[in-house]
Amino acid sequence: MEIFKYLEKYDYEQLLFCQDKQSGLKAIIAIHDTTLGPALGGTRMWTYATEEEAIEDALRLSKGMTYKNAAAGLNLGGGKTVIIGDPRKDKNEEMFRAFGRYIQGLNGRYITAEDVGTTVEDMDLIHEETDFVTGISPAFGSSGNPSPVTAYGVYRGMKAAAKEAFGTDSLEGKVVAVQGVGNVAYNLCRHLHEEGARLIVTDINKESVARAVESFGATAVNPDEIYGVQCDIYAPCALGAVINDQTINQIKAKVIAGAANNQLKEPVHGDQIHEKGIVYAPDYVINAGGVINVADELLGYNRERALKKVETVYDTIERVIEIAKRDNIPTYKAADRMAEERIERMRNSRSQFLQNEKHILNGRR
Ligand SMILES: NC(=O)c1ccc[n+]([C@@H]2O[C@H](COP(=O)([O-])OP(=O)(O)OC[C@H]3O[C@@H](n4cnc5c(N)ncnc54)[C@H](O)[C@@H]3O)[C@@H](O)[C@H]2O)c1
Ligand SMILES: CC(C)C[C@H](N)C(=O)O
């Protein structure tokens, strides 16, 4: 991979490699764009097969955060971290504290939170070294685990997409195929079950599947069977690139609406599902609940205010569908257009000179 070529192509600001021999920390922080504000995005810990795979994931995920934060109306830019390692075996206190010091060194350009493989406890360790971390324990007046709130936003967005496909936003009696029943999806399943939806679930972790079957009467299928099941809605809630050449023709759902980041392997797959008449709720729009919730910590956390904002994921999905119809484009392009236009508007409005404590003239006061 020619790194600078890639950074230039998608206009990334910064890519950092953090290494701490004693703790085994190998982290990559990618900061995509800070036009709207400091880059906020979670830390993923995963067993990447190669370093290149880890770099690509950090880059793709951080760009996704730029678009997610912009589309959600937050005054935040996009960044993300990946830590290379097995979250079940390789974590230790020193690792997260070393990582916290790297974040502190960025002086607020990047703020972290949870993602796949990291927990509130990990964020608390990072917080020992820096204030530039969110999703820490409620004991600190913080918002805690973002997953249930992400799930609520996905539920709201799924209803908006269902309204477009079925003429009603009621999910009662709808069959929803949920791929991955981890932190977000378990909570999503609860909302769907309470509304009377029927659930088909899968996960590579048998215990997670058993929990969903027991709690919600879900039907379990093998991981590779989930794409082809007869259902109304497909909810990708595991990892990315699941909408691809191998899966598209298997999908029978009329709606795709789930929590996973980077669901489309390539943009062309967004065009293909559009051509098939599937209503696609763009991933970074529908899964913004978690970041909306943790971002509220920066104002002094107020759960009621945060949840009210998360409810608006419904309206944002409606708006994206409206733009897609107006401009005759797929929803993923409509979401990109909406996010890019906001960034551009703010970039322009900020071009006026404003003296502040960070400006070079500050030394002359
Ligand atoms: N946690 C949040 O608040 C949040 C916010 C926005 C987006 N997301 C995204 O949502 C997705 C899920 O996040 P999470 O926090 O619930 O993570 P998680 O690790 O708790 O859950 C993911 C689940 O997917 C399963 N899985 C992995 N590969 C699979 C496969 N091939 N087939 C079936 N199951 C598989 C895992 O075993 C796990 O149970 C991720 O893509 C994450 O980036 C999470
Ligand atoms: C809670 C968030 C800051 C990060 C979350 N993992 C996301 O992808 O949106």
Side-chain angles (χ1 to χ4, degrees), residues 202-357:
T202 194
D203 200 293
I204 50 173
N205 181 336
K206 289 199 169 69
E207 283 164 26
S208 303
V209 172
R211 190 170 67 139
V213 169
E214 193 177 318
S215 307
F216 311 120
T219 304
V221 297
N222 290 326
D224 55 351
E225 289 169 353
I226 196 76
Y227 305 102
V229 296
Q230 198 64 52
C231 64
D232 300 299
I233 301 170
Y234 162 47
C237 296
L239 297 182
V242 286
I243 303 173
N244 58 45
D245 290 342
Q246 282 71 45
T247 60
I248 282 187
N249 286 332
Q250 300 180 48
I251 297 171
K252 299 190 175 65
K254 294 219 155 37
V255 170
I256 300 179
N261 281 309
N262 297 333
Q263 293 170 23
L264 303 174
K265 183 155 190 228
E266 301 293 342
V268 67
H269 300 116
D271 300 332
Q272 289 171 4
I273 51 176
H274 175 69
E275 281 153 21
K276 281 180 68 137
I278 295 173
V279 178
Y280 173 57
D283 45 16
Y284 63 75
V285 178
I286 195 170
N287 72 16
V291 76
I292 293 170
N293 191 50
V294 299
D296 198 81
E297 287 182 27
L298 305 172
L299 309 168
Y301 186 59
N302 178 319
R303 191 164 177 84
E304 206 180 314
R305 177 177 60 204
L307 289 178
K308 248 192 151 45
K309 186 145 174 50
V310 173
E311 276 187 21
T312 65
V313 170
Y314 187 109
D315 310 75
T316 316
I317 292 289
E318 276 193 320
R319 171 95 188 106
V320 167
I321 292 172
E322 208 178 281
I323 295 172
K325 282 187 185 165
R326 184 195 68 195
D327 297 352
N328 197 19
I329 52 174
T331 50
Y332 85 92
K333 277 193 182 147
D336 283 1
R337 195 166 281 185
M338 194 175 79
E340 283 163 5
E341 281 176 6
R342 176 160 184 254
I343 294 169
E344 225 27 61
R345 281 197 305 274
M346 293 312 294
R347 202 192 305 275
N348 292 337
S349 83
R350 282 176 163 201
S351 64
Q352 282 178 326
F353 172 74
L354 172 69
Q355 182 159 324
N356 62 33
E357 77 280 6

Side-chain angles (χ1 to χ4, degrees), residues 44 68 115-116 146-147 150 180 182-184 203-204 237-238 259-261 287:
R44 176 171 293 190
K68 185 180 305 192
D115 193 67
V116 175
S147 303
T150 301
N183 289 319
V184 176
D203 200 293
I204 50 173
C237 296
N261 281 309
N287 72 16

Side-chain angles (χ1 to χ4, degrees), residues 53-324:
E53 211 180 88
I55 296 168
E56 273 173 20
D57 210 25
L59 289 169
R60 268 168 68 94
L61 289 164
S62 68
K63 182 161 173 267
M65 290 309 299
T66 297
Y67 282 74
K68 185 180 305 192
N69 294 337
L74 299 170
N75 294 318
L76 291 165
K80 198 97 176 188
T81 299
V82 303
I83 296 180
I84 300 172
D86 185 337
R88 287 163 305 179
K89 292 197 301 229
D90 298 333
K91 285 183 184 179
N92 57 63
E93 178 183 356
E94 313 86 89
M95 172 181 282
F96 286 99
R97 293 194 61 162
F99 177 48
R101 288 194 295 279
Y102 277 106
I103 295 176
Q104 181 65 16
L106 286 167
N107 198 27
R109 271 178 58 69
Y110 170 67
I111 304 167
T112 201
E114 293 87 346
D115 193 67
V116 175
T118 58
T119 63
V120 174
E121 291 70 35
D122 303 332
M123 297 307 124
D124 287 349
L125 290 173
I126 294 170
H127 186 227
E128 296 282 333
E129 305 288 342
T130 183
D131 278 337
F132 302 123
V133 51
T134 54
I136 49 179
S137 290
F140 297 107
S142 206
S143 66
N145 180 2
S147 303
V149 188
T150 301
Y152 181 56
V154 174
Y155 165 66
R156 295 280 302 159
M158 187 183 284
K159 284 174 80 66
K163 191 168 166 211
E164 175 64 16
F166 309 118
T168 166
D169 73 2
S170 169
L171 299 174
E172 194 180 354
K174 292 281 178 290
V175 179
V176 186
V178 182
Q179 181 179 35
V181 262
N183 289 319
V184 176
Y186 182 80
N187 287 286
L188 172 64
C189 286
R190 185 167 41 76
H191 289 296
L192 297 174
H193 179 66
E194 280 168 9
E195 190 162 328
R198 288 190 292 131
L199 300 170
I200 300 174
V201 299
T202 194
D203 200 293
I204 50 173
N205 181 336
K206 289 199 169 69
E207 283 164 26
S208 303
V209 172
R211 190 170 67 139
V213 169
E214 193 177 318
S215 307
F216 311 120
T219 304
V221 297
N222 290 326
D224 55 351
E225 289 169 353
I226 196 76
Y227 305 102
V229 296
Q230 198 64 52
C231 64
D232 300 299
I233 301 170
Y234 162 47
C237 296
L239 297 182
V242 286
I243 303 173
N244 58 45
D245 290 342
Q246 282 71 45
T247 60
I248 282 187
N249 286 332
Q250 300 180 48
I251 297 171
K252 299 190 175 65
K254 294 219 155 37
V255 170
I256 300 179
N261 281 309
N262 297 333
Q263 293 170 23
L264 303 174
K265 183 155 190 228
E266 301 293 342
V268 67
H269 300 116
D271 300 332
Q272 289 171 4
I273 51 176
H274 175 69
E275 281 153 21
K276 281 180 68 137
I278 295 173
V279 178
Y280 173 57
D283 45 16
Y284 63 75
V285 178
I286 195 170
N287 72 16
V291 76
I292 293 170
N293 191 50
V294 299
D296 198 81
E297 287 182 27
L298 305 172
L299 309 168
Y301 186 59
N302 178 319
R303 191 164 177 84
E304 206 180 314
R305 177 177 60 204
L307 289 178
K308 248 192 151 45
K309 186 145 174 50
V310 173
E311 276 187 21
T312 65
V313 170
Y314 187 109
D315 310 75
T316 316
I317 292 289
E318 276 193 320
R319 171 95 188 106
V320 167
I321 292 172
E322 208 178 281
I323 295 172

